[in-house]
Structure formats: structure tokens, C-alpha cells
Amino acid sequence: MSLGPQQPTDVVRIEKYLKSLEQDTSNVLLNEDVNKLDFIRTTTFRADQWENYFDVTGRGYVGLKKRVRIAVALTLIKDGFLSMYSVEALSKEIGYKSRTSFYSCFEEITGSKFPEFRETLRTSKKKQETSA
């Protein structure tokens, strides 16, 4: 895999930027209708740097968007979002039009079905409460 004209440091810088997006609950990738070009325009990186990043890493824009959205969902869940709001609300909060779309993406990115993941969280929380 060749880095082409892009410097290896650009790939590292983009990865760092993406990690920051995974923690940002108001980032542009959570917008339901954001497209690749609109996303790129919001960053400090040029379009050719992003295209080279996608080529070098073998990741595409859609996969990147899914990864960031699920990371944000996990942060929101950890922060108690689901104790106050529904899964439908969580789905919309991270840019999905439906719970079904969120479930599919969640499984694709994490390898776990969301209802099973949620049950694991509940069980873990109950064990913590009884041991305290």
C-alpha cells in the first residue's frame, strides 16, 4: 500500500482528528443529511488529503461516518442517555432516520446486536448495584 503524495504524518493527523470527532456529540457527521463534500469542507484538511487517506487506509467516507456515529452513541449511552431517552431518540441524535438503521450500523461496527449489548449493560449495572 503506497502513501502516494501524502505524507505519513497526514494520515496520523487525520486519524487524530477522527478520534476527536468520536468524542464530539455535536460533530457534523451526526447530521442526517451530511455528504462527503460538505464534511470535508468543515475540516482543515484538503479534499486530496482525504481522498488519499481513504485510498491508503482502505476506508471510505460511509464507513468513517458509521464508525464516528457509533462511537458517539457509545459515549452518549455511557453518559446515561438511554436512562432519559428512547433508542429512537438516540438514533436520531446521531444522524439515523430510524432505530432499524441504527441497529444495523451498530452491529456492523461493533459486531454485537444492540438489544444484546443493552442487556449486557443492564446486567452489568445490576451487578455493580448489588455489590455496592
Side-chain angles (χ1 to χ4, degrees):
M1 179 178 336
S2 168
L3 288 181
Q6 184 171 353
Q7 298 298 314
T9 55
D10 286 344
V11 173
V12 172
R13 286 178 47 231
I14 288 174
E15 279 294 326
K16 275 185 168 181
Y17 173 71
L18 293 174
K19 285 288 182 198
S20 73
L21 286 182
E22 290 176 359
Q23 302 304 313
D24 181 1
T25 58
S26 63
N27 81 65
V28 69
L29 289 174
L30 304 181
N31 180 325
E32 184 177 290
D33 299 319
V34 69
N35 64 44
K36 183 178 177 180
L37 186 57
D38 289 342
F39 164 69
I40 289 172
R41 286 180 181 151
T42 68
T43 74
T44 59
F45 301 100
R46 298 183 317 267
D48 64 300
Q49 289 174 301
W50 278 107
E51 290 305 327
N52 205 21
Y53 170 82
F54 294 137
D55 289 344
V56 167
T57 62
R59 298 179 186 142
Y61 168 72
V62 172
L64 175 148
K65 184 165 68 169
K66 288 178 179 180
R67 184 179 105 196
V68 168
R69 285 178 172 184
I70 295 304
V72 170
L74 291 169
T75 297
L76 290 170
I77 291 166
K78 185 183 104 207
D79 292 345
F81 189 93
L82 292 176
S83 64
M84 297 179 289
Y85 303 102
S86 67
V87 176
E88 288 83 4
L90 175 65
S91 302
K92 292 194 183 315
E93 185 73 18
I94 62 167
Y96 289 100
K97 293 181 183 188
S98 72
R99 181 181 64 195
T100 305
S101 297
F102 166 65
Y103 280 180
S104 296
C105 182
F106 187 90
E107 184 174 358
E108 179 183 333
I109 298 301
T110 67
S112 301
K113 293 183 183 297
F114 186 76
E116 293 167 2
F117 170 80
R118 193 170 185 191
E119 186 56 36
T120 301
L121 286 178
R122 285 181 183 141
T123 304
S124 174
K125 186 176 179 182
K126 285 179 186 175
K127 283 181 183 178
Q128 288 175 354
E129 289 171 355
T130 58
S131 69

